[in-house]
Amino acid sequence: MTTIEEPTVPPPVRPDMRALVRELATARRRAEDGPGPDATRAQRAKGKLTVRDRLDLLFDPGSFREIERFRRHRSSGFGLEHRRPATDGVVTGWGTVSGRTVFAYAHDFRIFGGSLGEAHAEKIQKLMDMAAAAGAPLVALSDGAGARIQEGVTALAGYGGIFERNVRFSGVIPQISVMLGPCAGGATYSPALTDFVFMVRGVAQMYITGPDVVRSVTGEDITHEQLGGAEVHATVSGASGFVYDTEQECLEDVRYLISLLPSNNREPAPPVVPSDRPDRRCERLVDIVPADGARAYDMRAVVEEIVDDGEFFEVHASWAENVICALARLDGHVTGIVANQPAVLAGVLDIHAAEKAARFVQMCDAFSIPLVTLVDVPGFLPGRDQEHGGIIRHGAKLLYAYCNASVPRVQVVLRKAYGGAYIVMDSRSIGADLSFAWPTNEIAVMGAEGAANVVFRREISTALDPEAVRAKLIEEYRTSLMHGYHAAERGLVDDVIDPADTRRVLIDALGTLRGKHAQLPLRKHGNPPT
């Protein structure tokens, strides 16, 4: 009888945990290294940091926790099936900034030019949902070439999901966009929907259509920088609130801004123990601000004198410079400051100034940051360009923002406060909780010269010496209706104060109002002017 031998079956290979851990470490390192040294050298040759360098600058050392590191796209066609790098061109996760949790996503330009595909978008959308659920700020480090053309409509749908979340979480968590590379087409709308936009000169651009399309359609020959560079958006379009020469400076100020903002709309902005005395007198103010309303001065010097340690963080410093919008601390508490700037266009309100201030007021109100308004305004800028450009609509934006704001609001009238511009700059009549004025205040429908020319037109025109009569009537009008106590006598100013006491008065007022609770009417939402 023949014996048939059973084939030898090799024993099962038991997994070696240490080998698997070593394999994991290798895979993680490869994902972090990206596509290789050549791509990294090319990134640095453009004057740009890598995605990991940027995250290291943004977050506290060792605090960043990445998620979906091994995510890859599932697309095929146009060669994509042969190129499936880990991360799919975007790094997502969270860490701490000065000890507070912050979420961030950062495009990796070395992978598909940072372009957005389906998997890329899903990673961002998941992170946005997590940030909102955790009630923590969200930072986007943008360095991408827009939608991934090879993925077609799914890439566009990915952007739609991001835009929808930008809107849904607006006023819920702070959203900050940091532009560190190109941003074209539909991709520009996400930064436009966020609360703050930072840009770096020479490396960041934003535009709907690039120079090639502009050239083919209009014949205009224009460079990337001229069309949508950082300087353009910081000074002309107003799309960027901050501009820097280096990424290091930019990300340092992103960290500083986060320190001034609450984590979400249910928490106050974090206070600090002040090193500046709350009762410090501001004696320099009487020298900074001339009593003569026709003389200019720099309102920044006033703000610097009033706030803690002279430190404030100005938004849109190079755009619509006739109004100042800044975050600062008073007695350690974050405060939003809106102020006319007499050093630029005499401090008048125009289209851009109204837009700039309105958005800032809305942001402060959304995140429960109290508002201080420093008024020295001769009116709205007159002229056909302003009227045809929609100064009525744009001025109404600022009016709407203040009227809608439920945070503590304190107004200080330094000198001129004329006409509708006085009302719009958070007067008592539109809901300011408290209004204070310096002895130099002039609150009136218009300046004495213009008022006299209108009210006393007949008397002046029929006088034997029109100029002498005009001068006499101007002085009479100023004495009767524009003296420093006229508004206080009518209850429209709560107190006339010594300019040197401005800091103390503001700190006391804001401390009193800190527990303010406004009962708003039930509604889905308002319909603000656009």
Side-chain angles (χ1 to χ4, degrees):
M1 182 176 182
T2 304
T3 303
I4 301 176
E5 295 184 2
E6 294 289 334
T8 303
V9 179
V13 178
R14 299 188 180 280
D16 181 340
M17 180 60 77
R18 288 186 174 81
L20 292 175
V21 170
R22 287 194 296 272
E23 182 182 326
L24 171 62
T26 300
R28 291 170 68 91
R29 188 168 58 253
R30 285 176 179 164
E32 289 179 5
D33 290 343
D38 289 343
T40 299
R41 279 193 291 270
Q43 176 84 349
R44 296 194 191 284
K46 296 183 179 78
K48 300 195 295 185
L49 300 177
T50 68
V51 64
R52 306 286 172 176
D53 294 336
R54 291 163 174 168
L55 291 166
D56 286 343
L57 288 171
L58 175 64
F59 289 108
D60 298 337
S63 69
F64 182 65
R65 178 74 169 89
E66 185 176 353
I67 58 172
E68 297 205 359
R69 182 194 311 253
F70 301 115
R71 186 74 179 265
R72 302 174 190 270
H73 72 76
R74 298 168 292 183
S75 302
S76 60
F78 307 101
L80 282 181
E81 64 271 20
H82 306 302
R83 299 176 61 201
R84 299 182 63 241
T87 74
D88 199 47
V90 65
V91 178
T92 57
W94 68 85
T96 60
V97 174
S98 301
R100 297 168 59 208
T101 299
V102 174
F103 287 73
Y105 65 88
H107 299 126
D108 190 344
F109 194 82
R110 300 172 301 170
I111 298 175
F112 299 128
S115 62
L116 182 139
E118 182 183 26
H120 185 120
E122 288 175 351
K123 288 180 65 174
I124 295 174
Q125 292 168 13
K126 176 179 178 177
L127 189 86
M128 296 175 79
D129 291 338
M130 291 183 66
L138 175 70
V139 178
L141 304 181
S142 298
D143 186 6
R148 194 172 300 165
I149 297 172
Q150 300 94 321
E151 295 197 29
V153 69
T154 56
L156 297 178
Y159 268 128
I162 292 170
F163 301 158
E164 188 273 336
R165 286 167 173 81
N166 285 138
V167 174
R168 193 190 334 153
F169 303 145
S170 179
V172 178
I173 56 172
Q175 299 180 65
I176 300 170
S177 294
V178 187
M179 313 311 296
L180 303 169
C183 184
T188 57
Y189 289 119
S190 182
L193 292 169
T194 59
D195 300 302
F196 301 96
V197 178
F198 290 72
M199 294 185 76
V200 176
R201 292 184 182 92
V203 299
Q205 300 95 35
M206 290 194 296
Y207 36 67
I208 297 296
T209 53
D212 292 339
V213 176
V214 171
R215 191 176 301 111
S216 65
V217 173
T218 69
E220 183 181 7
D221 195 11
I222 192 168
T223 67
H224 291 273
E225 280 297 308
Q226 291 169 337
L227 184 62
E231 203 65 38
V232 168
H233 288 306
T235 62
V236 180
S237 76
S240 175
F242 311 92
V243 62
Y244 300 87
D245 291 322
T246 69
E247 295 188 36
Q248 290 86 347
E249 292 173 313
C250 177
L251 292 169
E252 182 180 347
D253 265 6
V254 172
R255 287 176 56 90
Y256 181 57
L257 173 61
I258 291 171
S259 75
L260 295 170
L261 298 174
S263 293
N264 55 68
N265 64 346
R266 302 181 304 277
E267 300 178 11
V272 299
V273 177
S275 56
D276 199 348
R277 294 191 346 265
D279 60 348
R280 171 174 58 81
R281 282 178 58 83
C282 305
E283 300 287 357
R284 288 186 61 243
L285 289 178
V286 296
D287 298 318
I288 293 170
V289 181
D292 180 358
R295 291 177 57 194
Y297 62 94
D298 188 349
M299 182 66 84
R300 288 188 178 93
V302 175
V303 176
E304 184 177 345
E305 185 68 17
I306 291 171
V307 302
D308 289 0
D309 303 307
E311 294 183 2
F312 60 95
F313 193 58
E314 189 171 353
V315 183
H316 289 293
S318 301
W319 180 64
E321 295 177 84
N322 41 323
V323 70
I324 294 171
C325 299
L327 293 172
R329 293 186 184 274
L330 283 167
D331 198 28
H333 294 272
V334 177
T335 304
I337 295 175
V338 179
N340 304 114
Q341 173 56 294
V344 179
L345 295 175
V348 297
L349 287 176
D350 61 3
I351 288 171
H352 292 325
E355 282 191 309
K356 170 179 168 178
R359 183 159 172 79
F360 182 76
V361 168
Q362 288 171 175
M363 184 280 300
C364 288
D365 185 53
F367 293 111
S368 300
I369 297 172
L371 286 160
V372 168
T373 304
L374 305 178
V375 183
D376 192 343
V377 61
F380 283 94
L381 183 63
R384 181 176 62 181
D385 289 343
Q386 288 290 305
E387 295 294 348
H388 290 187
I391 186 61
I392 296 171
R393 289 186 297 107
H394 295 290
K397 291 178 183 178
L398 182 54
L399 183 60
Y400 189 100
Y402 269 125
C403 290
N404 201 45
S406 60
V407 294
R409 293 155 48 190
V410 181
Q411 179 198 51
V412 181
V413 180
L414 279 63
R415 297 192 313 182
K416 300 181 298 297
Y418 294 161
Y422 154 67
I423 300 172
V424 166
M425 289 296 290
D426 204 19
S427 64
R428 277 279 305 278
S429 60
I430 65 168
D433 297 292
L434 289 168
S435 177
F436 300 101
W438 290 6
T440 45
N441 80 83
E442 292 183 355
I443 304 174
V445 175
M446 61 179 67
E449 291 81 0
N453 288 337
V454 173
V455 176
F456 306 113
R457 180 176 61 251
R458 181 171 298 174
E459 291 93 324
I460 294 172
S461 63
T462 58
L464 295 176
D465 187 349
E467 289 306 316
V469 172
R470 177 184 288 108
K472 175 178 177 292
L473 293 174
I474 286 172
E475 187 57 32
E476 282 185 14
Y477 184 88
R478 180 178 285 113
T479 302
S480 301
L481 296 178
M482 296 181 65
H483 61 80
Y485 303 93
H486 182 74
E489 290 171 358
R490 283 149 183 80
L492 296 174
V493 164
D494 292 289
D495 197 8
V496 179
I497 63 172
D498 180 345
D501 286 333
T502 304
R503 170 179 166 81
R504 179 187 61 78
V505 168
L506 285 174
I507 288 173
D508 180 64
L510 292 172
T512 300
L513 295 168
R514 195 157 291 130
K516 175 185 175 182
H517 175 72
Q519 188 66 40
L520 301 177
L522 181 64
R523 61 180 177 180
K524 185 176 181 180
H525 58 73
N527 185 23
T530 59

